[in-house]
Amino acid sequence: MALRQPDGLLAIGGDLAPQRLLNAYRHGIFPWFSEGQPILWWSPDPRTVFRTDGVRLSSRFRRSLRHSDWRIRADTRFADVIAACASVPRPGQDGTWITAGMQAAYVELHRLGHAHSVEVFDGDRLVGGIYGVAIGRMFFGESMFSGESGGSKVALAALAWRLREWGWPLIDAQVENEHLLGLGADSWPRGRFLRAVVEQAALPEAPGPWTARFGTLLARALAGSRPTV
């Protein structure tokens, strides 16, 4: 029933309560709206998806990581990651869709163990990150940011690395853009995506923080050296 124009608009209204958000994600639906708009719910066709074994970093970028001291962790700075995603300027983007209400809703999902962040550190300084929602063995990516060049790429690649190790095959990336396609994203017909969501979301995975499970990943691992400490 989603509209073709604008692509994927399915519903208007409701709220951002945890159970409504989780129910939406289980059905391949996500909220996306700007300040002053009602809550808009989307299920676009096609859907942009990363295979966790399909994130691509350029050879030049991987070479630059060989001498990197960056370290990647999970769920230690969730509120800071979502705030950075909302505030870091992006080319061609005026303002943010990550409103204060959206931030509060996902911080609550994080408190309940359903939303997670992957964080890139240079020493104690946060230089990149990504956050999203996990249901079963399906990860729904929401947004990522770079505080330094390449920070978001490292966060995405590290997330994909760990999810692949855990047997999670997919990361939802929602809406296509050139940056995501350049990192290896695919466009799937909505029906194929929804079938995958039903299958993966039904697999048993208990909610809760990922900090210990994720551990610490070295950014230089993404260039092929030893991954963990």
mmCIF file of all heavy atoms in Angstrom, residues 49 133-140 168-172 193 196-197 200-201:
data_model
loop_
_atom_site.group_PDB
_atom_site.id
_atom_site.type_symbol
_atom_site.label_atom_id
_atom_site.label_comp_id
_atom_site.label_asym_id
_atom_site.label_seq_id
_atom_site.Cartn_x
_atom_site.Cartn_y
_atom_site.Cartn_z
ATOM 1 N N VAL A 49 20.419 -2.219 0.670
ATOM 2 C CA VAL A 49 20.850 -3.250 1.609
ATOM 3 C C VAL A 49 22.343 -3.504 1.429
ATOM 4 O O VAL A 49 22.851 -3.522 0.301
ATOM 5 C CB VAL A 49 20.080 -4.565 1.361
ATOM 6 C CG1 VAL A 49 20.543 -5.663 2.297
ATOM 7 C CG2 VAL A 49 18.583 -4.354 1.509
ATOM 8 N N VAL A 133 19.047 -0.357 14.717
ATOM 9 C CA VAL A 133 18.177 -1.205 15.526
ATOM 10 C C VAL A 133 18.404 -2.655 15.135
ATOM 11 O O VAL A 133 18.486 -2.989 13.945
ATOM 12 C CB VAL A 133 16.696 -0.813 15.312
ATOM 13 C CG1 VAL A 133 15.768 -1.765 16.049
ATOM 14 C CG2 VAL A 133 16.462 0.630 15.748
ATOM 15 N N ALA A 134 18.494 -3.519 16.146
ATOM 16 C CA ALA A 134 18.670 -4.952 15.916
ATOM 17 C C ALA A 134 17.436 -5.701 16.379
ATOM 18 O O ALA A 134 16.971 -5.502 17.507
ATOM 19 C CB ALA A 134 19.896 -5.458 16.659
ATOM 20 N N ILE A 135 16.912 -6.548 15.496
ATOM 21 C CA ILE A 135 15.798 -7.433 15.845
ATOM 22 C C ILE A 135 16.148 -8.811 15.299
ATOM 23 O O ILE A 135 16.386 -8.959 14.097
ATOM 24 C CB ILE A 135 14.468 -6.950 15.252
ATOM 25 C CG1 ILE A 135 14.122 -5.555 15.766
ATOM 26 C CG2 ILE A 135 13.349 -7.937 15.601
ATOM 27 C CD1 ILE A 135 12.860 -4.977 15.161
ATOM 28 N N GLY A 136 16.166 -9.823 16.177
ATOM 29 C CA GLY A 136 16.642 -11.119 15.738
ATOM 30 C C GLY A 136 18.056 -10.985 15.234
ATOM 31 O O GLY A 136 18.922 -10.432 15.916
ATOM 32 N N ARG A 137 18.312 -11.455 14.015
ATOM 33 C CA ARG A 137 19.625 -11.295 13.394
ATOM 34 C C ARG A 137 19.549 -10.367 12.182
ATOM 35 O O ARG A 137 20.227 -10.568 11.174
ATOM 36 C CB ARG A 137 20.218 -12.645 13.003
ATOM 37 C CG ARG A 137 20.486 -13.529 14.212
ATOM 38 C CD ARG A 137 21.148 -14.833 13.848
ATOM 39 N NE ARG A 137 21.228 -15.687 15.037
ATOM 40 C CZ ARG A 137 21.655 -16.951 15.006
ATOM 41 N NH1 ARG A 137 22.036 -17.502 13.854
ATOM 42 N NH2 ARG A 137 21.694 -17.663 16.121
ATOM 43 N N MET A 138 18.731 -9.329 12.321
ATOM 44 C CA MET A 138 18.598 -8.316 11.293
ATOM 45 C C MET A 138 18.993 -6.979 11.894
ATOM 46 O O MET A 138 18.491 -6.607 12.962
ATOM 47 C CB MET A 138 17.157 -8.266 10.778
ATOM 48 C CG MET A 138 16.931 -7.272 9.656
ATOM 49 S SD MET A 138 17.676 -7.818 8.100
ATOM 50 C CE MET A 138 17.843 -6.235 7.260
ATOM 51 N N PHE A 139 19.901 -6.264 11.216
ATOM 52 C CA PHE A 139 20.306 -4.940 11.688
ATOM 53 C C PHE A 139 19.772 -3.890 10.720
ATOM 54 O O PHE A 139 20.011 -3.955 9.515
ATOM 55 C CB PHE A 139 21.822 -4.824 11.783
ATOM 56 C CG PHE A 139 22.262 -3.561 12.486
ATOM 57 C CD1 PHE A 139 22.340 -3.520 13.866
ATOM 58 C CD2 PHE A 139 22.560 -2.413 11.776
ATOM 59 C CE1 PHE A 139 22.719 -2.365 14.537
ATOM 60 C CE2 PHE A 139 22.943 -1.249 12.431
ATOM 61 C CZ PHE A 139 23.023 -1.225 13.810
ATOM 62 N N PHE A 140 19.061 -2.915 11.288
ATOM 63 C CA PHE A 140 18.475 -1.833 10.512
ATOM 64 C C PHE A 140 19.295 -0.576 10.761
ATOM 65 O O PHE A 140 19.180 0.056 11.810
ATOM 66 C CB PHE A 140 17.022 -1.612 10.926
ATOM 67 C CG PHE A 140 16.145 -2.824 10.752
ATOM 68 C CD1 PHE A 140 16.024 -3.759 11.775
ATOM 69 C CD2 PHE A 140 15.445 -3.032 9.580
ATOM 70 C CE1 PHE A 140 15.217 -4.875 11.635
ATOM 71 C CE2 PHE A 140 14.633 -4.148 9.415
ATOM 72 C CZ PHE A 140 14.519 -5.080 10.446
ATOM 73 N N TRP A 168 25.063 -12.818 11.014
ATOM 74 C CA TRP A 168 24.015 -11.893 10.563
ATOM 75 C C TRP A 168 24.342 -11.487 9.122
ATOM 76 O O TRP A 168 25.369 -10.854 8.876
ATOM 77 C CB TRP A 168 23.987 -10.652 11.441
ATOM 78 C CG TRP A 168 23.706 -10.868 12.893
ATOM 79 C CD1 TRP A 168 24.151 -11.888 13.686
ATOM 80 C CD2 TRP A 168 22.938 -10.011 13.735
ATOM 81 N NE1 TRP A 168 23.710 -11.722 14.963
ATOM 82 C CE2 TRP A 168 22.967 -10.578 15.038
ATOM 83 C CE3 TRP A 168 22.250 -8.823 13.526
ATOM 84 C CZ2 TRP A 168 22.322 -9.996 16.111
ATOM 85 C CZ3 TRP A 168 21.603 -8.233 14.610
ATOM 86 C CH2 TRP A 168 21.629 -8.815 15.879
ATOM 87 N N PRO A 169 23.495 -11.767 8.152
ATOM 88 C CA PRO A 169 23.885 -11.553 6.755
ATOM 89 C C PRO A 169 23.650 -10.161 6.199
ATOM 90 O O PRO A 169 24.251 -9.802 5.180
ATOM 91 C CB PRO A 169 23.029 -12.567 5.994
ATOM 92 C CG PRO A 169 21.793 -12.702 6.830
ATOM 93 C CD PRO A 169 22.252 -12.559 8.258
ATOM 94 N N LEU A 170 22.769 -9.349 6.819
ATOM 95 C CA LEU A 170 22.306 -8.132 6.158
ATOM 96 C C LEU A 170 22.318 -6.918 7.079
ATOM 97 O O LEU A 170 22.114 -7.042 8.290
ATOM 98 C CB LEU A 170 20.872 -8.312 5.642
ATOM 99 C CG LEU A 170 20.632 -9.382 4.577
ATOM 100 C CD1 LEU A 170 19.137 -9.508 4.311
ATOM 101 C CD2 LEU A 170 21.375 -9.039 3.298
ATOM 102 N N ILE A 171 22.522 -5.754 6.462
ATOM 103 C CA ILE A 171 22.332 -4.456 7.101
ATOM 104 C C ILE A 171 21.395 -3.647 6.211
ATOM 105 O O ILE A 171 21.700 -3.415 5.037
ATOM 106 C CB ILE A 171 23.656 -3.691 7.262
ATOM 107 C CG1 ILE A 171 24.636 -4.473 8.142
ATOM 108 C CG2 ILE A 171 23.414 -2.291 7.834
ATOM 109 C CD1 ILE A 171 26.042 -3.884 8.148
ATOM 110 N N ASP A 172 20.264 -3.255 6.753
ATOM 111 C CA ASP A 172 19.343 -2.383 6.017
ATOM 112 C C ASP A 172 19.941 -0.984 5.949
ATOM 113 O O ASP A 172 20.329 -0.415 6.969
ATOM 114 C CB ASP A 172 17.997 -2.352 6.730
ATOM 115 C CG ASP A 172 17.025 -1.347 6.124
ATOM 116 O OD1 ASP A 172 17.111 -1.090 4.910
ATOM 117 O OD2 ASP A 172 16.178 -0.826 6.882
ATOM 118 N N PHE A 193 13.355 -7.944 0.063
ATOM 119 C CA PHE A 193 13.818 -7.415 1.338
ATOM 120 C C PHE A 193 12.901 -7.847 2.477
ATOM 121 O O PHE A 193 13.366 -8.297 3.533
ATOM 122 C CB PHE A 193 13.906 -5.894 1.269
ATOM 123 C CG PHE A 193 14.198 -5.249 2.587
ATOM 124 C CD1 PHE A 193 15.475 -5.274 3.120
ATOM 125 C CD2 PHE A 193 13.193 -4.620 3.305
ATOM 126 C CE1 PHE A 193 15.747 -4.694 4.353
ATOM 127 C CE2 PHE A 193 13.452 -4.024 4.527
ATOM 128 C CZ PHE A 193 14.739 -4.065 5.057
ATOM 129 N N ALA A 196 13.380 -11.370 3.548
ATOM 130 C CA ALA A 196 14.600 -11.528 4.340
ATOM 131 C C ALA A 196 14.401 -11.017 5.761
ATOM 132 O O ALA A 196 14.883 -11.628 6.724
ATOM 133 C CB ALA A 196 15.756 -10.792 3.665
ATOM 134 N N VAL A 197 13.687 -9.896 5.917
ATOM 135 C CA VAL A 197 13.431 -9.352 7.255
ATOM 136 C C VAL A 197 12.642 -10.346 8.099
ATOM 137 O O VAL A 197 12.978 -10.600 9.266
ATOM 138 C CB VAL A 197 12.693 -8.003 7.166
ATOM 139 C CG1 VAL A 197 12.157 -7.581 8.525
ATOM 140 C CG2 VAL A 197 13.617 -6.930 6.616
ATOM 141 N N GLN A 200 15.079 -13.218 9.091
ATOM 142 C CA GLN A 200 16.169 -12.867 10.006
ATOM 143 C C GLN A 200 15.652 -12.364 11.356
ATOM 144 O O GLN A 200 16.236 -12.645 12.398
ATOM 145 C CB GLN A 200 17.079 -11.818 9.369
ATOM 146 C CG GLN A 200 17.816 -12.300 8.135
ATOM 147 C CD GLN A 200 18.659 -13.532 8.412
ATOM 148 O OE1 GLN A 200 19.369 -13.599 9.408
ATOM 149 N NE2 GLN A 200 18.570 -14.512 7.530
ATOM 150 N N ALA A 201 14.564 -11.617 11.345
ATOM 151 C CA ALA A 201 14.032 -11.073 12.595
ATOM 152 C C ALA A 201 13.459 -12.159 13.491
ATOM 153 O O ALA A 201 13.347 -11.961 14.710
ATOM 154 C CB ALA A 201 12.963 -10.021 12.298
#
